[in-house]
Amino acid sequence: MILRVKPNFTTAQITTRFSTKVASSRTPRYRTASTASETAGLANPAVYCRDLVRKHDYESYMISHFYPKEYQDAYFAIKAFSVELATVQDHVSNTMIAKMRMQFWRDTIKDIQNGRPPRHPISLALHQACQQFHLPSYHLKRVVDARDAELHTPTHLTVDSLTAHAESTSSTVLYLLLSLLSLPSSTLSHAASHLGVAQTFTTLLRALPFHAKNGRMIIPAEITAKHGVNQEEVFRQGPHAQGIEDAVFEFATIANDHMITAREMFKEEGMGETVPSMAMPVFLSGIPVTNYLGRLEKINFNAFEPKLQLRDWKLAWLIWRDYYKRKF
């Protein structure tokens, strides 16, 4: 039986705003925190990042408790960085402002490398994490570059294009977490790559009602075209649009296939279905994915069902159970 799993991830939404001043021919840079919450966060960047993740990515907040205590501040710094970048385009009035914010983070990574992080709580927390755990800056830059490219191509024509984007965002965040725990392994990296793709696909599925309401189709065009989906019908009629459930089914199946492949990586290395104990916190990210896809399957792939937007009360228990079973 094919299990369709969609992560319980809520699309992260951040209210962080930057004041911008445009200089004639130069790209402006944001040098200081510019909102009340950011200014307060300068006093304790770690708490700021933790609170941001708890508010906007609660599943990741729950998973944090399974990281050794000495890694938790760095974990929240990485996750807050991911949340910040993922929602830039949702909170700006035009692409130019969004690109300036991306440039701020691109410059911030360079400044962190040079030991001069700007006065922003996430950058200060990332700087501390990089100093303490030697996180590879090229992974941070890869996420920024992918989110910057997303400003110009918010939708994808093919599954391959979306997969490449997922590998540069969600998968790369998982690579950072593996680096945080000092776990260099091709097996772990390959499994994390597939898990990250499944995360992205299921996050988009959960956000389908939101995006449809705002006139955006997040399922790749090659899938919607195959099932005769008319985008305008989806925007107006939601779950009643012709072919949309079949398109959701196929998209969810691809996500589940990536989950299966991630698990098989460990079988091929003779580990059975279990994950090395030290790496298990990273792969707990698969539990919300499996949970969501299973719930989606139970309602015949109606991604517009309001119950899917509610957090599953069993999720915390499932994360705890599978941590000790070392499975995802």
Side-chain angles (χ1 to χ4, degrees):
M1 180 181 73
I2 296 179
L3 176 63
R4 321 303 173 202
V5 208
K6 175 172 184 176
N8 221 2
F9 287 110
T10 42
T11 305
Q13 297 182 351
I14 303 179
T15 57
T16 309
R17 300 182 188 278
F18 295 84
S19 58
T20 60
K21 186 180 287 186
V22 181
S24 56
S25 60
R26 295 175 55 191
T27 301
R29 294 188 54 190
Y30 308 95
R31 298 191 180 275
T32 59
S34 60
T35 71
S37 62
E38 288 171 356
T39 302
L42 293 174
N44 196 330
V47 171
Y48 175 90
C49 292
R50 182 195 65 199
D51 291 346
L52 186 69
V53 174
R54 179 172 57 187
K55 184 176 181 180
H56 299 294
D57 187 0
Y58 194 74
E59 288 78 13
S60 290
Y61 176 77
M62 289 192 290
I63 289 169
S64 72
H65 299 293
F66 296 90
Y67 279 77
K69 189 172 180 59
E70 61 269 26
Y71 295 106
Q72 288 184 9
D73 285 352
Y75 169 84
F76 282 123
I78 293 168
K79 282 294 186 174
F81 172 73
S82 175
V83 165
E84 168 71 20
L85 292 174
T87 58
V88 164
Q89 63 180 337
D90 292 334
H91 296 285
V92 295
S93 57
N94 58 63
T95 302
M96 179 59 70
I97 295 175
K99 289 192 69 65
M100 289 192 294
R101 294 175 76 170
M102 293 300 180
Q103 186 60 43
F104 164 74
W105 287 109
R106 194 175 281 113
D107 293 339
T108 291
I109 294 168
K110 293 179 183 178
D111 291 341
I112 287 174
Q113 288 179 282
N114 296 328
R116 297 182 290 102
R119 286 178 55 79
H120 185 286
I122 296 177
S123 67
L124 294 173
L126 269 180
H127 177 247
Q128 178 63 31
C130 289
Q131 280 195 320
Q132 187 173 358
F133 299 105
H134 309 290
L135 300 179
S137 60
Y138 59 84
H139 284 330
L140 297 170
K141 184 178 182 297
R142 185 182 184 188
V143 177
V144 176
D145 289 343
R147 292 301 184 186
D148 193 7
E150 187 178 28
L151 299 174
H152 304 284
T153 55
T155 59
H156 293 266
L157 295 178
T158 67
V159 172
D160 286 346
S161 172
L162 181 56
T163 299
H165 172 74
E167 290 172 345
S168 296
T169 51
S170 297
S171 298
T172 300
V173 169
L174 296 178
Y175 301 156
L176 282 165
L177 295 176
L178 290 173
S179 296
L180 170 64
L181 299 178
S182 300
L183 295 171
S185 161
S186 59
T187 298
L188 294 177
S189 295
H190 288 157
S193 175
H194 288 284
L195 173 55
V197 174
Q199 272 188 314
T200 294
F201 285 17
T202 48
T203 299
L204 289 173
L205 276 171
R206 179 165 187 171
L208 177 59
F210 169 80
H211 288 298
K213 184 178 179 180
N214 289 276
R216 294 191 295 267
M217 172 52 68
I218 50 81
I219 300 176
E222 71 169 294
I223 294 178
T224 56
K226 183 189 303 184
H227 298 286
V229 176
N230 183 306
Q231 291 191 9
E232 292 301 323
E233 286 185 5
V234 177
F235 302 156
R236 293 193 306 268
Q237 303 174 25
H240 305 295
Q242 178 181 345
I244 188 60
E245 286 190 1
D246 291 335
V248 168
F249 171 83
E250 180 170 345
F251 198 36
T253 298
I254 296 171
N256 187 65
D257 287 345
H258 280 283
M259 289 294 294
I260 292 171
T261 303
R263 296 184 189 108
E264 287 178 346
M265 292 290 176
F266 297 101
K267 291 183 182 179
E268 292 174 4
E269 293 297 317
M271 302 178 193
E273 295 184 352
T274 59
V275 179
S277 57
M278 189 61 180
M280 194 59 216
V282 176
F283 289 91
L284 285 177
S285 299
I287 308 305
V289 175
T290 301
N291 175 261
Y292 180 88
L293 290 176
R295 294 165 66 202
L296 180 64
E297 182 180 33
K298 288 179 180 178
I299 57 173
N300 296 319
F301 302 94
N302 177 10
F304 291 85
E305 170 57 52
K307 288 188 293 187
L308 284 176
Q309 303 304 314
L310 301 177
R311 188 179 299 142
D312 188 351
W313 64 270
K314 299 188 298 293
L315 184 57
W317 177 79
L318 291 171
I319 291 172
W320 177 86
R321 183 198 66 180
D322 289 348
Y323 174 79
Y324 288 102
K325 291 174 66 176
R326 290 167 52 193
K327 296 182 178 181
F328 66 100

